Amino acid sequence: MAEKTISQACVDALKAETELVFLALTVWREARGQSEECRRGVAYSILNRVKRPSWWGKDICSVVFKRLQYSSLTYSKDPQLTTWPNSSEDPSWIQCLQVAMEAIAGISENPVPGADSYHDISISAPKWAEPKMFVRQIGRIRFFDVDMDVER
């Protein structure tokens, strides 16, 4: 009997779908109550990391699942860790999927050029959040270019 295998094209398509879903989930958990521009900022800050592979990962999944980088996905005490969209028809989930799709496709504007990190203003600023690295604040999220790869 011939062995069945999945073609590389299928594997690549599944990887792309997986990355889309986890980018959207990260955006949803981190910024679903924020404006579309803020959600795009979160998506692009992740993609900015992907564009500059480093200790934080080399693709969307390795970036968002890097321990303690996106607390809503990796920190056991983050209440968002166990929060999921109510259904596939949840409007905020659909909006986050749209933001993720457009960001991956590069068809939406990046509101935070160079930003690779952020924090919510509801918590104290982390030690790494130096003023010289500040890019922009959108809603309650402050974005930073920690590796300082974009000239300001």
Side-chain angles (χ1 to χ4, degrees):
M1 184 169 192
E3 183 177 320
K4 293 183 180 182
T5 61
I6 298 175
S7 72
Q8 188 60 46
C10 287
V11 170
D12 292 345
L14 289 170
K15 181 179 187 273
E17 287 180 19
T18 300
E19 295 223 316
L20 168 64
V21 168
F22 283 115
L23 179 60
L25 181 64
T26 306
V27 171
W28 185 82
R29 284 184 176 173
E30 300 273 329
R32 71 181 168 277
Q34 296 297 296
S35 68
E36 180 180 336
E37 183 178 39
C38 185
R39 291 189 302 263
R40 275 192 287 119
V42 170
Y44 275 103
S45 70
I46 293 165
L47 294 177
N48 288 342
R49 286 184 175 205
V50 171
K51 286 181 185 174
R52 294 181 59 83
S54 185
W55 62 269
W56 52 46
K58 62 182 177 45
D59 57 21
I60 292 170
C61 285
S62 63
V63 165
V64 300
F65 289 115
K66 180 71 175 177
R67 187 171 184 276
L68 301 181
Q69 292 303 296
Y70 296 89
S71 63
S72 68
L73 294 176
T74 64
Y75 183 54
S76 63
K77 294 182 181 173
D78 189 317
Q80 296 296 316
L81 185 63
T82 58
T83 303
W84 298 91
N86 289 332
S87 80
S88 61
E89 296 175 9
D90 176 340
S92 65
W93 172 241
I94 301 300
Q95 292 163 0
C96 291
L97 275 170
Q98 184 75 28
V99 163
M101 283 189 278
E102 291 175 358
I104 289 171
I107 60 173
S108 59
E109 181 183 346
N110 181 346
V112 292
D116 49 43
S117 302
Y118 60 84
H119 79 86
D120 189 306
I121 61 171
S122 68
I123 62 170
S124 299
K127 290 180 182 179
W128 55 259
E130 297 178 23
K132 66 182 179 182
M133 299 172 182
F134 179 71
V135 173
R136 181 175 181 202
Q137 181 170 333
I138 307 172
R140 68 171 200 248
I141 298 182
R142 294 178 54 86
F143 293 89
F144 295 83
D145 181 2
V146 174
D147 70 359
M148 299 182 66
D149 65 320
V150 173
E151 198 170 315
R152 310 242 170 265

